[in-house]
């Protein structure tokens, strides 16, 4: 009964149900107050919230790792593009450059020398060819080649998608925190109400048995 | 409890709860040492891999087109330009350009160093395991004594 009520409640933007606050425990438990099963239901819902919380925290951590990586890759590709544009501009107006003659559409060959990582502590030197194609590792053993402008637009869209998801995940986490607190408060209230009711029943039973003794 | 070497304390004098404390402590130390050993092995495997990688940078590979990683997910076609030297991270932020032979020697020295450490560690692990089995024996003896004594007193 009570879990059904929880599910019928409002949900936030991404389908996380809002936890109802039990202001009046008597009313919540209804005519036949069964505190034990109510507590069990509430605890089940709380466990679900906690599970979601764990999932979102993991997702957030992995997003926070990926985003700087995407930014770095985007910067590199933009740098490569600028270099190419820089070179082709130099070729157009540099008629008196000596070494600009015979290399087809490739202008003054100033190849980029870079040290790249072979292993954790091992680097080697290589010359980058002047190419308009870059290769992007998309994960899951998939690597695709893209022309530089296409690569730049792909990386930009990936970055904005990752940023947006990160914002969503962070706001979901905050919402979940609130709901978890509400559920914990509910559980405490039902438990306390149960303790109070039992004590009252016991006192009433003792009082009435005390009266019977006096009468008898 | 001062128990650097359990055999120096007479284990027979300790009662069962103290013995179980000592045993828990030994188990913790054993786990810790085994973890360290695993880490050493992993580091050693990495350095061995580096030796193989250095072997790849050889003159036969000159002018072959390779995909050069610029970041974790960006690769650009390029060629190896320097085939005699590689750059080795020697720690504390220092990168040294070494010839291939020197780099191989460097990594080999690291591998050997780790090997000797790993062997030391293994001896320690062995000793702790021996201590542990001795302790368990003593515990079993005590248990038997106790149950025999309680059986006698109950009769």
């Amino acid at each position: 009964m009570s879990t059904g009520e929880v599910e019928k409640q409002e949900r936030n933007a991404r389908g996380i149900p809002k936890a109802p606050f039990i202001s009046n425990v008597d009313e919540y438990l209804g005519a036949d107050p069964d505190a034990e099963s109510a507590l069990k239901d509430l605890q089940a819902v709380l466990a679900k919230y906690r599970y979601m919380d764990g999932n979102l925290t993991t997702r957030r951590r992995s997003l926070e790792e990926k985003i700087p990586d995407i930014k770095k890759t985007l910067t590199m590709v933009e740098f490569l593009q600028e270099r190419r544009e820089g070179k082709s501009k130099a070729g157009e107006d540099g008629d008196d450059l000596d070494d600009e003659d015979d290399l087809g559409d490739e202008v003054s060959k100033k190849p980029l020398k870079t040290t790249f990582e072979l292993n954790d502590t091992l680097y080697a030197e290589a010359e980058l060819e002047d190419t308009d194609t870059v290769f992007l590792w998309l994960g899951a053993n998939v690597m695709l080649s893209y022309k530089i402008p296409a690569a730049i637009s792909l990386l930009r869209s990936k970055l904005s998608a990752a940023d947006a998801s990160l914002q969503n995940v962070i706001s979901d986490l905050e919402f979940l925190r609130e709901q978890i607190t509400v559920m914990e408060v509910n559980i405490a209230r039902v438990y306390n109400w149960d303790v109070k009711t039992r004590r009252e029943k016991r006192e009433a039973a003792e009082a009435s048995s005390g009266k019977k003794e006096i009468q008898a | 409890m001062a128990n650097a070497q359990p055999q120096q304390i007479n284990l027979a004098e300790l009662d069962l709860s103290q013995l179980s404390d000592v045993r828990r402590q030994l188990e913790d130390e054993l786990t810790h040492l085994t973890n360290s050993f695993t880490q050493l092995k992993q580091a050693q495997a990495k350095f061995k891999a580096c030796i193989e990688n250095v072997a790849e940078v050889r003159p036969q590979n000159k002018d072959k087109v390779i995909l050069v990683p610029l970041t974790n997910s960006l690769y650009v076609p390029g060629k190896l330009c320097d085939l005699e030297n590689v750059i080795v991270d020697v720690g504390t932020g220092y990168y040294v350009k070494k010839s291939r032979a020197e780099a191989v020697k460097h990594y080999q020295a690291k591998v050997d160093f780790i090997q000797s450490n790993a062997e030391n560690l293994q001896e320690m692990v062995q000793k702790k395991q021996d201590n542990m089995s001795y302790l368990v024996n003593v515990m079993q003896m005590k248990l038997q004594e106790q149950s025999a004594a309680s059986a006698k007193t109950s009769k």
Side-chain angles (χ1 to χ4, degrees):
Chain A
M1 165 195 80
S2 31
T3 6
E5 282 177 7
V6 169
E7 284 169 14
K8 272 184 277 170
Q9 298 295 330
E10 329 146 13
R11 292 164 172 266
N12 86 339
R14 269 158 301 286
I16 304 180
K18 199 167 153 61
F21 178 64
I22 304 174
S23 40
N24 187 339
V25 185
D26 277 319
E27 199 183 299
Y28 173 75
L29 286 177
D32 183 13
D34 182 3
E36 296 258 343
S37 71
L39 274 176
K40 242 185 260 147
D41 288 338
L42 289 175
Q43 271 165 350
V45 176
L46 182 65
K48 278 189 218 144
Y49 277 137
R50 286 224 175 95
Y51 172 73
M52 269 196 279
D53 189 67
N55 271 357
L56 286 182
T57 313
T58 321
R59 258 215 334 236
R60 170 190 172 161
R61 227 176 291 139
S62 77
L63 276 174
E64 282 176 347
E65 269 181 35
K66 276 189 354 192
I67 287 185
D69 207 38
I70 302 182
K71 281 196 186 135
K72 259 195 305 187
T73 313
L74 180 60
T75 320
M76 276 308 294
V77 181
E78 284 173 347
F79 167 74
L80 285 176
Q81 189 182 49
E82 276 175 33
R83 259 191 94 240
R84 281 178 58 79
E85 286 170 5
K87 272 206 224 167
S88 48
K89 281 210 202 97
E92 281 167 20
D93 49 28
D95 286 339
D96 41 6
L97 279 177
D98 287 336
D99 48 355
E100 180 233 341
D101 320 318
D102 48 353
L103 301 169
D105 53 355
E106 289 177 329
V107 280
S108 51
K109 198 147 192 162
K110 247 187 344 170
L112 192 55
K113 276 202 183 169
T114 177
T115 37
F116 67 97
E117 191 173 333
L118 275 178
N119 202 315
D120 199 22
T121 48
L122 183 60
Y123 297 80
E125 233 179 67
E127 246 173 50
L128 293 184
E129 281 176 9
D130 194 25
T131 168
D132 61 346
T133 312
V134 295
F135 294 75
L136 290 178
W137 174 267
L138 302 174
N141 280 346
V142 172
M143 182 190 273
L144 291 181
S145 71
Y146 290 88
K147 296 273 182 245
I148 289 191
I152 290 188
S153 60
L154 175 73
L155 286 171
R156 283 209 182 117
S157 66
K158 264 171 93 168
L159 185 61
S160 55
D163 269 331
S165 326
L166 184 63
Q167 295 311 313
N168 278 350
V169 166
I170 290 181
S171 71
D172 278 350
L173 272 175
E174 285 172 8
F175 181 73
L176 262 181
R177 278 297 135 69
E178 283 174 26
Q179 307 315 309
I180 288 183
T181 315
V182 167
M183 285 313 278
E184 285 175 344
V185 166
N186 283 345
I187 290 182
R189 284 165 64 85
V190 171
Y191 184 75
N192 290 345
W193 177 93
D194 184 45
V195 167
K196 197 174 65 135
T197 316
R198 278 183 213 266
R199 190 164 27 101
E200 284 170 358
K201 271 195 210 147
R202 197 172 28 115
E203 287 172 358
E206 283 172 4
S208 64
S209 64
K211 270 194 220 148
K212 281 191 198 142
E213 282 175 14
I214 293 173
Q215 283 173 5
Chain B
M1 287 192 354
N3 38 8
Q5 264 128 55
Q7 278 94 347
Q8 285 178 357
I9 306 170
N10 193 353
L11 280 178
E13 288 176 355
L14 298 175
D15 67 11
L16 266 182
S17 66
Q18 287 172 316
L19 280 176
S20 59
D21 281 342
V22 174
R23 176 186 175 162
R24 208 175 320 125
Q25 195 163 354
L26 273 182
E27 278 174 0
D28 286 343
E29 287 174 13
L30 209 54
T31 327
H32 181 67
L33 288 176
T34 328
N35 283 346
S36 311
F37 184 73
T38 321
Q39 284 177 342
L40 280 181
K41 277 284 171 213
Q42 284 173 349
Q44 195 182 35
K46 250 185 20 173
F47 288 126
K48 285 195 179 140
C50 282
I51 296 183
E52 291 170 17
N53 292 149
V54 173
E56 287 297 317
V57 179
R58 48 174 192 260
Q60 294 106 302
N61 288 343
K62 183 151 183 107
D63 284 344
K64 280 201 200 148
V65 175
I66 60 175
L67 280 179
V68 177
L70 291 182
T71 76
N72 271 353
S73 30
L74 174 63
Y75 292 76
V76 181
K79 297 203 180 90
L80 281 176
C81 69
D82 186 352
L83 292 117
E84 279 312 314
N85 300 325
V86 293
I87 301 188
V88 178
D89 177 4
V90 294
T92 65
Y94 279 87
Y95 293 80
V96 181
K97 186 176 238 180
K98 289 180 186 276
S99 76
R100 275 185 295 124
E102 285 173 11
V104 171
K105 245 184 8 187
H106 175 256
Y107 284 123
Q108 192 60 47
K110 284 222 169 102
V111 167
D112 296 334
F113 175 69
I114 293 189
Q115 186 62 34
S116 59
N117 274 0
E119 280 163 10
N120 278 351
L121 201 53
Q122 196 143 25
E123 280 176 28
M124 280 176 58
V125 167
Q126 195 54 46
K127 267 195 225 143
K128 290 258 176 249
Q129 276 175 341
D130 291 341
N131 285 353
M132 177 86 103
S133 48
Y134 179 69
L135 180 73
V136 169
N137 278 347
V138 171
M139 273 179 87
Q140 282 175 345
M141 269 174 18
K142 284 230 168 247
L143 260 171
Q144 282 176 351
E145 283 171 19
Q146 246 188 26
S147 53
S150 56
K152 263 192 234 160
T153 49
S154 61
K155 276 185 193 157

